[in-house]
Amino acid sequence: MCGITGYVGQGDAVPIALANLKRLEYRGYDSSGVAYPLADRVHVHKAVGKIANLERSINGGMHNLTSNVAVAHTRWATHGRPNEANAHPHCDCTGRIAVVHNGIVENYAELRSELQEAGHIFNSETDTEVIAHLIEAALPSVSPTSEEFVQACRIALKKVSGSFAVGIVSALIPDSLFVSRKDSPLVIGLGEEENFLASDIPAVMSFTRKVIVLEDGDCALITSKSVRIFDLDGNPLNRSILDVTWDDQSAEKGGFDHFMLKEINEEPRTVRDTLRGRITEDSRVVLPDVNFTSEQWNRIRRISIVACGTAYHAGLVGKRLLEKTLKRPVDATVASEFRYSDPLVDEETLVLLISQSGETADTLAAMREARRKRAATLAIVNVVGSTLAREADAVLYTQAGPEIGVASTKAYLAQLTALSLLSIYLSQDHGLAEEERIKMISALRVLPDQVNDILSQCDQIHDLALRLRDHNCFFYLGRGYDYAASMEAALKMKEISYIHAEAYAAGEMKHGPLALVEPSVAVIGFCTQPHTNEKMISNLKEVKAREGFVVALLREDVPAPDCADAVISVPVTLEPFMPILSMVPMQLLAYYVAKEKGCSIDQPRNLAKSVTVE
Ligand code: AGP
């Protein structure tokens, strides 16, 4: 996600805002910018790449930087390529208003066309730019008072659907910052005759540890001596002041001990953001960012999913999902096999490439092989502007934000969410019954809250980890969707706790692996698919009879089987979506076992976040 900082006070605002922005670099970004009011307009500087490039462009230009107010931004692209034109801040037509934004303006396309019809000129491909023009359009006159400016900001933001954290500077309020948030974080740091704005607490900690964490719907007008908080209707609000005691390191992790745990806790927002703007009020799926023509879609007769690691495991769930809705065979192959297999794909095949980084060498090679064979290529990718995103015929972006931990967690949930949307999109006019579609969409809408509910079980999962940490072998068993999910659960455990963990089709245990079961072996049975639950429970009984430690992962409407030594319950959703919910406790279990073993969780030995070599 993007990073925002701001400053208003007696100091030199631009270098202070940029210094604080560097505290957010860990979040990942592709460009940055800064804006400050001076005389009758705002001055804006932007640069692609690191913040150091921005500083060079400012200092190299020997620009007059004396301003006591500034906002700065690091961009994690969600709409529009990572280039200077799309970097924030974005201005209105008069150059008197500059906006930095973290979030997604879902209705930016219609807002942009309305504003363009009214004569507004746009300079970027971003959704953010509409906010600056909306404020300009809401001004009652060319010389509004500061109160009229604040009202124009409130009017503008009420027209925005989606998520936003905005920092706004303007020549019309030269000694103030206007800020507001909805679904994206913003904090205000309180200093002595100076105040600070940031997306995250680490970015203000070198100046102050007194922080106001704004809540959804809050607005604030910040000067060097005051912070006035109100809602979008202008009603005053009171917010408590937090005394931050974190050290710098844990602040970057949002107070969590590791990025992996922070990213697991971001999963409700990840699912919500990946759904955002892609479900209509009449429960249909739209994929505005996938630029396939209807002729290209109609030419597809087969789908072949290709990926590596966690992304491949998401693809295994996607295979079953797409087969269920399309009623056609779909295959899933690891990219390192696909690329050398002389794959049977052609112009009637859609090769679906899944990748968090968009830079995985095997996946890139697989895509190029597919294109060589004239297959259509669609990338489900998290990093905007990555090689895979640029070279595939079309892209369906996940909205997980930067994933720092090497072990992929929130990206997996985002990939499953994107695959769920795609499976509905491809079938909603080709055989998927309206009743089924509406049921699937309703289930997707509540997933973020269900994921959030599971996160409250973290203490129980930690207790289970204490009971499991000394086991020297894990089996993860499942059938159907659960078998696909068990592959990912096993990978999480092995890659961060270094304990051997193996996923197995539950029905296959008696064909050999059961010989391995003994008290030191822990078996986690996925029992979330009603039509195979009875069989799963009998498989777990076979394990228990051999004194294995049995953990049953159940839907919360299923009673705990007697053979289970421990139970993990997850909320009920449709069977194809159960892997999205069942993976959350599995990620937490792997995390806590690894933590109890003192493993290096965010950077496990021998592994890299993106495998850019063969
Ligand atoms: C999973 O936790 C690992 N980080 C690894 O398997 C990863 O999923 C794989 O390397 C694929 O990466 P990608 O999604 O960036 O292509």
Side-chain angles (χ1 to χ4, degrees):
M1 68 289 286
C2 303
I4 292 174
T5 60
Y7 174 80
V8 52
Q10 313 307 320
D12 197 347
V14 170
I16 292 172
L18 292 183
N20 287 348
L21 194 64
K22 286 179 180 173
R23 304 290 298 264
L24 298 176
E25 285 193 295
Y26 66 89
R27 301 152 69 109
Y29 64 100
D30 48 60
S31 55
S32 65
V34 65
Y36 52 95
L38 203 59
D40 61 350
R41 68 184 185 85
V42 290
H43 293 250
V44 174
H45 302 277
K46 307 180 182 184
V48 174
K50 292 302 177 195
I51 296 169
N53 297 347
L54 176 63
E55 289 174 320
R56 269 195 293 279
S57 83
I58 294 173
N59 299 331
M62 300 301 287
H63 291 276
N64 169 2
L65 297 184
T66 50
S67 174
N68 299 124
V69 182
V71 282
H73 184 270
T74 48
R75 181 173 183 242
W76 171 272
T78 55
H79 291 75
R81 288 158 297 172
N83 59 27
E84 194 169 313
N86 289 333
H88 300 203
H90 290 289
C91 294
D92 68 317
C93 300
T94 68
R96 299 188 300 170
I97 302 167
V99 178
V100 293
H101 168 232
N102 178 21
I104 297 170
V105 179
E106 285 176 31
N107 57 339
Y108 85 97
E110 62 195 83
L111 291 172
R112 184 182 174 118
S113 54
E114 283 167 19
L115 288 159
Q116 285 173 318
E117 276 162 31
H120 289 261
I121 307 295
F122 283 77
N123 300 305
S124 80
E125 303 164 319
T126 65
D127 54 338
T128 301
E129 193 180 353
V130 298
I131 298 174
H133 292 281
L134 283 173
I135 298 169
E136 178 195 359
L139 292 175
S141 69
V142 289
S143 309
T145 65
S146 65
E147 266 320 295
E148 286 170 337
F149 179 83
V150 166
Q151 187 177 26
C153 292
R154 292 193 286 106
I155 291 167
L157 290 173
K158 287 168 82 170
K159 291 181 177 176
V160 169
S161 68
S163 57
F164 56 77
V166 289
I168 299 167
V169 292
S170 173
L172 300 169
I173 49 167
D175 59 357
S176 306
L177 285 177
F178 177 91
V179 304
S180 183
R181 66 146 292 181
K182 174 176 170 288
D183 286 345
S184 289
L186 262 189
V187 301
I188 297 171
L190 305 175
E192 296 298 323
E193 297 210 350
E194 59 183 9
N195 290 308
F196 306 84
L197 172 69
S199 305
D200 218 346
I201 288 173
V204 300
M205 278 174 52
S206 42
F207 289 93
T208 178
R209 288 182 175 257
K210 289 195 175 309
V211 170
I212 293 172
V213 179
L214 291 179
E215 296 180 19
D216 271 0
D218 287 2
C219 305
L221 188 67
I222 308 171
T223 68
S224 60
K225 296 186 175 63
S226 67
V227 175
R228 182 160 64 86
I229 301 174
F230 43 91
D231 63 20
L232 281 168
D233 293 318
N235 303 311
L237 295 169
N238 285 318
R239 292 288 178 249
S240 52
I241 297 174
L242 184 70
D243 280 312
V244 177
T245 56
W246 296 337
D247 60 47
D248 285 2
Q249 254 255 326
S250 65
E252 284 190 357
K253 302 181 184 83
F256 293 102
D257 289 343
H258 298 94
F259 279 110
M260 181 180 177
L261 187 59
K262 176 176 180 248
E263 287 152 10
I264 292 169
N265 280 273
E266 289 173 349
E267 287 174 344
R269 188 168 77 216
T270 292
V271 175
R272 187 174 291 113
D273 284 353
T274 302
L275 291 170
R276 200 182 292 283
R278 293 168 167 167
I279 295 175
T280 63
E281 285 183 10
D282 61 345
S283 291
R284 287 179 61 81
V285 171
V286 290
L287 299 177
D289 45 341
V290 180
N291 60 349
F292 266 160
T293 63
S294 50
E295 191 263 332
Q296 281 174 302
W297 284 122
N298 294 333
R299 195 187 308 146
I300 292 164
R301 293 286 172 276
R302 235 187 86 217
I303 296 177
S304 191
I305 299 172
V306 182
C308 298
T310 289
Y312 167 66
H313 296 152
L316 290 173
V317 177
K319 162 191 161 57
R320 289 165 172 79
L321 243 174
L322 287 160
E323 287 179 337
K324 167 187 165 62
T325 56
L326 292 172
K327 303 286 186 281
R328 262 188 257 163
V330 174
D331 53 61
T333 315
V334 289
S336 52
E337 289 296 308
F338 180 90
R339 65 183 291 193
Y340 294 114
S341 66
D342 188 18
L344 296 175
V345 298
D346 58 21
E347 59 276 3
E348 293 188 337
T349 309
L350 172 65
V351 174
L352 200 47
L353 301 122
I354 308 172
S355 175
Q356 188 285 128
S357 64
E359 301 300 344
T360 300
D362 284 323
T363 310
L364 289 176
M367 177 197 53
R368 290 162 183 156
E369 175 66 1
R371 287 175 61 84
R372 192 180 66 81
K373 297 206 166 193
R374 300 170 51 77
T377 53
L378 171 58
I380 294 181
V381 65
N382 194 43
V383 179
V384 176
S386 57
T387 305
L388 192 70
R390 281 184 282 107
E391 292 187 17
D393 294 320
V395 186
L396 174 54
Y397 282 117
T398 52
Q399 298 291 348
E403 188 176 67
I404 313 290
V406 166
S408 192
T409 50
K410 60 178 183 173
Y412 176 79
L413 266 71
Q415 289 157 359
L416 292 189
T417 305
L419 285 161
S420 305
L421 289 166
L422 183 64
S423 70
I424 298 168
Y425 181 79
L426 287 172
S427 57
Q428 63 192 2
D429 296 325
H430 300 282
L432 180 64
E434 181 182 20
E435 183 190 352
E436 181 66 15
R437 187 191 82 235
I438 292 171
K439 205 164 68 168
M440 293 177 83
I441 297 280
S442 308
L444 289 176
R445 288 187 201 279
V446 299
L447 277 178
D449 290 338
Q450 291 182 310
V451 171
N452 199 51
D453 291 346
I454 299 169
L455 293 172
S456 59
Q457 292 184 42
C458 61
D459 290 342
Q460 296 95 299
I461 305 282
H462 195 167
D463 292 342
L464 177 57
L466 292 170
R467 298 171 67 189
L468 290 174
R469 67 181 172 191
D470 299 323
H471 284 74
N472 60 21
C473 173
F474 281 77
F475 273 106
Y476 290 78
L477 306 182
R479 292 169 180 260
Y481 287 105
D482 279 345
Y483 175 38
S486 69
M487 304 277 267
E488 175 56 14
L491 176 62
K492 285 292 102 35
M493 183 62 78
K494 71 182 100 177
E495 70 175 329
I496 62 170
S497 73
Y498 312 149
I499 301 173
H500 179 69
E502 190 169 358
Y504 229 86
E508 278 294 291
M509 282 299 281
K510 55 186 172 302
H511 299 288
L514 203 56
L516 287 172
V517 175
E518 57 182 26
S520 67
V521 173
V523 175
I524 296 170
F526 283 63
C527 311
T528 76
Q529 305 291 311
H531 68 292
T532 54
N533 248 21
E534 206 178 305
K535 294 287 178 205
M536 272 307 301
I537 301 298
S538 56
N539 291 143
L540 294 180
K541 282 177 181 167
E542 289 160 10
V543 170
K544 192 63 207 158
R546 279 101 183 148
E547 299 183 336
F549 186 100
V550 172
V551 180
L553 195 161
L554 306 163
R555 298 165 22 139
E556 59 195 16
D557 63 349
V558 171
D562 297 342
C563 64
D565 298 296
V567 167
I568 297 171
S569 295
V570 292
V572 179
T573 186
L574 300 181
E575 289 161 39
F577 304 154
M578 282 309 302
I580 294 176
L581 298 182
S582 55
M583 204 47 55
V584 180
M586 293 295 99
Q587 294 166 350
L588 289 170
L589 182 63
Y591 171 80
Y592 285 120
V593 168
K595 186 174 184 183
E596 289 304 324
K597 292 188 65 189
C599 296
S600 162
I601 290 172
D602 284 332
Q603 286 89 27
R605 67 186 181 198
N606 312 335
L607 302 181
K609 180 59 185 170
S610 178
V611 184
T612 56
V613 293
E614 268 204 71

